[in-house]
Amino acid sequence: MAGFYEDERRLRGILGWIFSTDHKRIGLLYLFAILFFYAIGVLLGFLMRLELMAPGPTIMRPQTYNAIFTLHGVIMIFLFVIPGIPSIFGNFFLPIQIGARDVAFPRINLLSWWIYMTGAFLAILSLFTGGGPVDTGWTFYVPYSLRTSVNVPLAVFAVFILGFSSILTGINFVTTTHQLRAPGMTWFRLPLFVWAVYATAWIQVLVTPVIGITLLLTLMERLVGVGIFDPAKGGDPLLYQHLFWIYSHPAVYIMILPAMGVISEIIPVFARRTIFGYKAMAFSILAIAVVGSFVWGHHMFVSGQSDLASIIFSLLTFLVAVPSGVKVFNWVSTLYKGSIEVAPPLLFALTFIFLFSIGGLTGLFQGALATDVHLHDTYWVVGHFHYVIFGGTGFALFGALHYWFPKMFGRMYHKKIPYFAWALLFVGFNTLYFPMLILGWKGMPRRYYDYLPQFHSLQWISTIGSWILIAGLILLFANLIYSLFRGEKAEGNPWGGATLEWQIPSPPPRENFAEIPRIERGPYEFRK
Amino acid sequence: MIRGTTGLSNEIVENVFLYIAAISVSILVLITFLMIYFTIRYRRKRNPQPEDIRGNLWLEILWTVIPTLLVLSMFYYGWTGFRSLKKIPEGAFKVKVAARQWSWLFEYENGVKTEELMVPVGKPIHLLLTSQDVIHSFYIPAFRVKQDAVPGMVTPLWFKAKEVGTYDVLCAEYCGRQHAYMLTRVKVLSEEEFKQWYEGKGKELQIEKSRGLPRGPQLLQEKGCLVCHSLDGTPRIGPTLKDLSGNTVIVLTDGKERKVQADDAYLKKSLIEPNADIVKGFPPIMPSQEGLSTEEEINELVRHMKELK
């Protein structure tokens, strides 16, 4: 392969990668690490579904199940979705899309990856040391996490470490976007993916310290019993929940905003026309980022928090739905009078719109106070969350992979196979997660190892769905991996994109641009 | 879906649900239809020449304002429903609920304690929830009501059952190993039946108290011991209580293995400081009875354990 792959200045082989400060190489380091953890997360999900296929003990004991759903959550959230799109595609494409040679702090960028790997290593280490795998759920709610006999301290510390990776990446992207835009690359000529990653970076910088402090306090509570959260010592378990969600709700936007950015890139390219309402798209990203930081209390409607607090959080939650709606309407309008080619990336982007809409709309039921009382902590929440994060961010990531694959690797994948993989994924996904919404409405609580007989048939259907989904995943990734080695050579601009990454060779050369380009038009101008 | 038959809160929750569902489904159908229609209508073969449309102010205002109004109306309905779910009618029948790993204990105003909740039909029931250890959540899916039980707090929940029957109660907040088995039932009796049961139980309690009868078996039940400790020799979450008193046990003290005699002092200590000596092979998760049981109750338990042969 050519381009940045041939850069062997000081270090050779693997060292040339793991000590590289090139944003593209770091992006690929993240890609492989993150997809590796994704595979583990999928495997754990598969095992959970297998256990739940029939009532009573099926393939494991309750404690194993509790550890597995915790690990599934921790891995998927902290090692896959949160770093996900920004660390892989943000690293690789943000500098190129703004016409820069690298991020503002290339060495800090490498440090972020190392911190990420350290956190991941500690998380894995926590499984085999102390009291064994954590069984608290990814939320680490006190007082349970203070009382359980398993290795909570190391797991919590691992997540604490991972936070630094997120903060440093955030600082890097904010600075890069402010400082390194090419001449003429004004704010309103930025590709929407850059806007999304930029807004996400701010959330990362501003709220990640809150989870850091929360986890540190949990550690202190657990190790020396300071009494911040323990009511027996004058502490308050609800305080933990507030602190946790002050980070973890905005974290949902860390997960979804970059995905929205990806969709905003893909749709104009395959519709061959400019995006509908560019400014509305940019401002709605900012609105989601800002308002989304003040809705955390909607996770606590039945926790015992005051009614007034619940009412205010409910109102704010509904307001955050509006900019998300605007984005969906603008994407659909971008198809109007376009010249549309349903290539694999667009197929995934359109599926994103459908699944994300279901995810968003099912969220309205939880934002409404009266209905949330019933739906809270049931399978409805599990279904809703997977529609947003897997149907949304997951499908956007598949779209991004298929969109940027030729650019990143200089090869094109087999173009028919993604349609088959998509069909399996789409059918499997809905068979897996839609029954969960019904189960939730019928009153099946989440995090249950076993269930009452009336829930059996839907649980069974859901498990069948997981097999179809996994078949789709295997086909999708098998095609990409095969093409990595055997795919046809890709041209510089196979999709006819108008943003900067498509104006340079595939794969990009070492410092992206021989000469920093001068920008004279917006990102989605397909006719010169 | 059973609509509005079992409890008062059903109608409230279901009306809000249907309102949001009607709007959501319409929006989803509209979006999906337009998306598919545009994709087919403007496919490249049929429409090789795209048209750049940069926006449309009126359209964009329209689809900002209308959704805002819609979601505000959803908020409003959700809020008014919530108000009724939260407003406890005066004179409601009060029951104290203690949640603990992994059982529920209901205590009525006359001092009677039960493991299943008994209530009269058609009367507002006011539950005062608390937890003895971690956070639990009291959930009756059939009535669409749920409230967390938090240690150190008393949280209220009320409902009114419209029909006689038995309904599941589930724990909805993850609370450890047996979370999925932290189930009980609410039995809704006719007013007459309930009165009979309630007064009968009350009298029994008075008689027992005056006689000072052995309360060991009842205490084991009430304190939630039997969730983890069996009486028939099978190990469960914790060791069995059968033949425990007087025997030797292998325990881990600060990680070191040692043999101890399960005498009265040991049994007492394991109730007050359960994690000081952990019986080998079991997880250190038993909650302390300190503050939960009186001195007398603990003595009675220790005495009763000698009888568990």
Side-chain angles (χ1 to χ4, degrees):
Chain A
M1 285 195 243
F4 70 100
Y5 291 94
E6 277 176 356
D7 171 34
E8 303 267 344
R9 278 170 299 175
R10 284 168 303 168
L11 297 162
R12 304 202 156 266
I14 182 102
L15 295 180
W17 283 85
I18 62 174
F19 294 113
S20 168
T21 54
D22 179 359
H23 66 101
K24 298 181 288 300
R25 290 194 169 206
I26 294 173
L28 292 185
L29 287 177
Y30 272 115
L31 174 73
F32 292 112
I34 284 171
L35 289 182
F36 170 75
F37 291 117
Y38 178 56
I40 298 180
V42 170
L43 179 70
L44 293 169
F46 167 75
L47 291 174
M48 284 160 72
R49 283 311 330 159
L50 217 51
E51 171 55 44
L52 292 170
M53 195 175 186
T58 313
I59 56 162
M60 60 181 84
R61 292 161 59 90
Q63 187 59 16
T64 317
Y65 180 80
N66 295 346
I68 286 184
F69 80 65
T70 303
L71 279 176
H72 173 79
V74 168
I75 289 176
M76 286 301 204
I77 287 175
F78 295 110
L79 295 178
F80 172 60
V81 203
I82 287 181
I85 294 176
S87 293
I88 302 168
F89 302 104
N91 252 313
F92 203 111
F93 290 106
L94 178 116
I96 306 181
Q97 285 195 326
I98 62 171
R101 294 209 156 99
D102 207 319
V103 293
F105 310 113
R107 273 172 291 190
I108 290 184
N109 200 19
L110 177 63
L111 180 66
S112 297
W113 183 78
W114 275 99
I115 294 176
Y116 169 81
M117 292 307 281
T118 309
F121 171 76
L122 291 176
I124 292 164
L125 191 67
S126 79
L127 305 181
F128 307 103
T129 51
V134 202
D135 67 343
T136 58
W138 75 277
T139 44
F140 303 115
Y141 265 25
V142 298
Y144 185 73
S145 60
L146 305 175
R147 283 169 172 259
T148 179
S149 58
V150 298
N151 200 357
V152 172
L154 190 56
V156 161
F157 186 67
V159 176
F160 175 72
I161 294 290
L162 285 170
F164 285 96
S165 168
S166 199
I167 295 170
L168 291 176
T169 303
I171 292 173
N172 223 333
F173 287 172
V174 168
T175 318
T176 307
T177 313
H178 276 273
Q179 295 295 322
L180 299 183
R181 280 173 289 128
M185 179 60 87
T186 58
W187 284 92
F188 290 124
R189 283 182 187 162
L190 285 177
L192 288 165
F193 179 67
V194 175
W195 268 109
V197 172
Y198 171 76
T200 308
W202 269 114
I203 310 178
Q204 282 170 273
V205 173
L206 292 174
V207 298
T208 315
V210 182
I211 189 92
I213 293 163
T214 314
L215 295 173
L216 220 50
L217 289 173
T218 311
L219 263 181
M220 283 163 64
E221 188 93 358
R222 171 109 190 174
L223 299 175
V224 287
V226 279
I228 307 243
F229 303 130
D230 184 354
K233 293 175 180 159
D236 183 358
L238 261 59
L239 175 64
Y240 174 88
Q241 296 180 22
H242 277 293
L243 289 171
F244 180 83
W245 290 113
I246 287 176
Y247 166 75
S248 297
H249 193 78
V252 178
Y253 296 102
I254 297 179
M255 303 178 207
I256 196 68
L257 282 178
M260 293 171 157
V262 168
I263 303 308
S264 302
E265 291 303 297
I266 293 176
I267 293 181
V269 171
F270 294 93
R272 274 296 181 279
R273 50 154 286 182
T274 188
I275 194 123
F276 187 95
Y278 174 92
K279 284 194 181 173
M281 288 303 247
F283 287 128
S284 60
I285 291 172
L286 296 180
I288 294 171
V290 173
V291 184
S293 299
F294 297 98
V295 302
W296 74 85
H298 67 211
H299 294 268
M300 298 170 62
F301 289 162
V302 300
S303 68
Q305 85 176 348
S306 81
D307 292 353
L308 180 61
S310 294
I311 292 163
I312 294 168
F313 283 120
S314 170
L315 178 62
L316 291 169
T317 301
F318 275 111
L319 292 182
V320 95
V322 176
S324 310
V326 167
K327 296 194 81 72
V328 170
F329 298 136
N330 281 11
W331 285 323
V332 174
S333 309
T334 303
L335 297 169
Y336 179 65
K337 294 205 170 168
S339 175
I340 299 165
E341 183 203 346
V342 189
L346 185 68
L347 186 60
F348 285 110
L350 299 179
T351 314
F352 167 99
I353 295 178
F354 177 72
L355 297 176
F356 174 76
S357 296
I358 297 181
L361 294 167
T362 50
L364 297 173
F365 297 83
Q366 288 157 236
L369 289 160
T371 31
D372 183 67
V373 169
H374 174 53
L375 298 172
H376 181 84
D377 263 330
T378 65
Y379 263 60
W380 178 280
V381 181
V382 183
H384 156 74
F385 186 79
H386 283 88
Y387 266 96
V388 176
I389 297 304
F390 191 172
T393 310
F395 275 74
L397 187 120
F398 301 151
L401 269 174
H402 286 86
Y403 179 53
W404 280 315
F405 187 92
K407 180 55 63 183
M408 296 169 95
F409 301 105
R411 287 179 189 275
M412 183 53 92
Y413 46 83
H414 193 297
K415 276 198 194 154
K416 290 255 164 63
I417 292 176
Y419 295 97
F420 295 108
W422 170 86
L424 288 170
L425 285 169
F426 186 75
V427 172
F429 182 94
N430 289 296
T431 317
L432 170 53
Y433 296 114
F434 198 82
M436 292 192 181
L437 297 172
I438 307 170
L439 279 167
W441 174 251
K442 287 181 150 193
M444 161 100 204
R446 65 195 288 204
R447 296 175 170 177
Y448 262 35
Y449 161 76
D450 197 356
Y451 47 82
L452 296 167
Q454 65 262 38
F455 302 123
H456 182 201
S457 53
L458 287 163
Q459 290 281 8
W460 185 84
I461 294 172
S462 177
T463 300
I464 301 294
S466 75
W467 301 344
I468 306 174
L469 179 78
I470 288 172
L473 283 175
I474 292 172
L475 187 58
L476 183 138
F477 282 103
N479 181 35
L480 292 182
I481 293 166
Y482 176 83
S483 310
L484 201 59
F485 302 103
R486 297 286 161 83
E488 275 176 45
K489 289 258 182 296
E491 3 165 351
N493 195 359
W495 313 122
T499 41
L500 284 175
E501 77 270 32
W502 301 112
Q503 318 313 320
I504 56 173
S506 299
R510 192 162 58 83
E511 287 191 320
N512 308 338
F513 305 98
E515 198 180 322
I516 296 294
R518 175 165 284 282
I519 313 303
E520 267 139 18
R521 55 194 173 88
Y524 312 113
E525 302 296 329
F526 295 93
R527 272 157 297 160
K528 307 221 165 111
Chain B
M1 179 164 67
I2 321 153
R3 285 214 60 217
T5 49
T6 42
L8 187 71
S9 26
N10 290 56
E11 281 170 45
I12 298 170
V13 172
E14 277 151 27
N15 286 339
V16 181
F17 188 92
L18 288 177
Y19 179 72
I20 301 177
I23 295 174
S24 297
V25 171
S26 325
I27 293 176
L28 182 69
V29 168
L30 181 74
I31 291 169
T32 313
F33 168 76
L34 286 177
M35 191 168 81
I36 294 173
Y37 174 72
F38 289 161
T39 308
I40 296 170
R41 170 67 183 77
Y42 299 110
R43 64 184 185 277
R44 197 157 293 170
K45 265 187 211 147
R46 188 168 159 188
N47 195 41
Q49 270 315 311
E51 198 176 311
D52 275 333
I53 301 165
R54 279 162 212 285
N56 181 320
L57 187 65
W58 285 109
L59 214 54
E60 288 180 77
I61 289 175
L62 203 68
W63 70 46
T64 309
V65 172
I66 292 178
T68 307
L69 295 176
L70 285 176
V71 295
L72 285 178
S73 73
M74 291 178 196
F75 160 73
Y76 178 76
Y77 281 125
W79 174 27
T80 48
F82 186 66
R83 239 179 0 202
S84 342
L85 292 180
K86 284 281 170 175
K87 198 170 174 237
I88 301 162
E90 287 205 18
F93 183 79
K94 281 186 187 170
V95 183
K96 283 189 199 164
V97 185
R100 66 235 166 149
Q101 291 171 312
W102 292 276
S103 61
W104 301 94
L105 184 69
F106 303 97
E107 188 182 345
Y108 305 81
E109 279 186 318
N110 64 357
V112 168
K113 291 177 186 172
T114 58
E115 294 202 308
E116 289 185 336
L117 177 61
M118 314 290 267
V119 297
V121 71
K123 262 202 161 176
I125 311 296
H126 175 186
L127 303 181
L128 300 122
L129 301 144
T130 193
S131 166
Q132 295 177 359
D133 37 52
V134 302
I135 299 175
H136 302 276
S137 194
F138 184 88
Y139 180 28
I140 314 175
F143 299 162
R144 319 271 186 249
V145 290
K146 181 185 293 123
Q147 176 67 52
D148 283 6
V150 186
M153 259 176 100
V154 177
T155 46
L157 172 82
W158 84 274
F159 66 90
K160 185 157 93 178
K162 280 187 170 176
E163 277 178 12
V164 170
T166 306
Y167 307 94
D168 292 314
V169 175
L170 314 167
C171 177
E173 181 67 59
Y174 174 71
C175 58
R177 262 162 230 253
Q178 300 296 98
H179 170 53
Y181 298 103
M182 193 167 158
L183 314 175
T184 185
R185 274 187 285 247
V186 46
K187 284 193 172 150
V188 180
L189 306 176
S190 69
E191 217 164 319
E192 202 132 297
E193 264 182 305
F194 180 79
K195 202 176 163 198
Q196 212 171 7
W197 173 85
Y198 189 66
E199 283 170 4
K201 280 280 171 190
K203 269 179 206 152
E204 272 176 42
L205 188 74
Q206 288 309 318
I207 296 165
E208 267 178 39
K209 271 189 184 165
S210 63
R211 279 198 206 150
L213 278 180
R215 300 180 57 225
Q218 205 180 334
L219 280 175
L220 283 177
Q221 195 67 251
E222 261 175 30
K223 303 290 175 191
C225 311
L226 302 179
V227 175
C228 303
H229 303 282
S230 77
L231 300 178
D232 61 1
T234 37
R236 301 186 61 187
I237 315 278
T240 180
L241 300 181
K242 189 186 179 198
D243 295 327
L244 171 63
S245 184
N247 262 327
T248 31
V249 217
I250 302 171
V251 296
L252 297 166
T253 309
D254 294 325
K256 274 184 211 136
E257 227 178 279
R258 65 189 186 105
K259 272 187 187 171
V260 291
Q261 188 76 19
D263 52 15
D264 286 10
Y266 165 83
L267 291 174
K268 229 175 195 175
K269 194 180 171 197
S270 29
L271 288 167
I272 302 295
E273 293 176 68
N275 295 334
D277 308 296
I278 311 289
V279 179
K280 200 185 164 194
F282 293 95
I285 53 172
M286 176 163 152
S288 164
Q289 281 300 309
E290 196 170 0
L292 297 176
S293 300
T294 62
E295 181 85 40
E296 284 159 8
E297 285 174 325
I298 293 206
N299 288 336
E300 169 59 19
L301 277 169
V302 170
R303 191 200 61 72
H304 176 59
M305 272 191 256
K306 288 181 193 147
E307 300 169 350
L308 300 173
K309 295 290 170 196

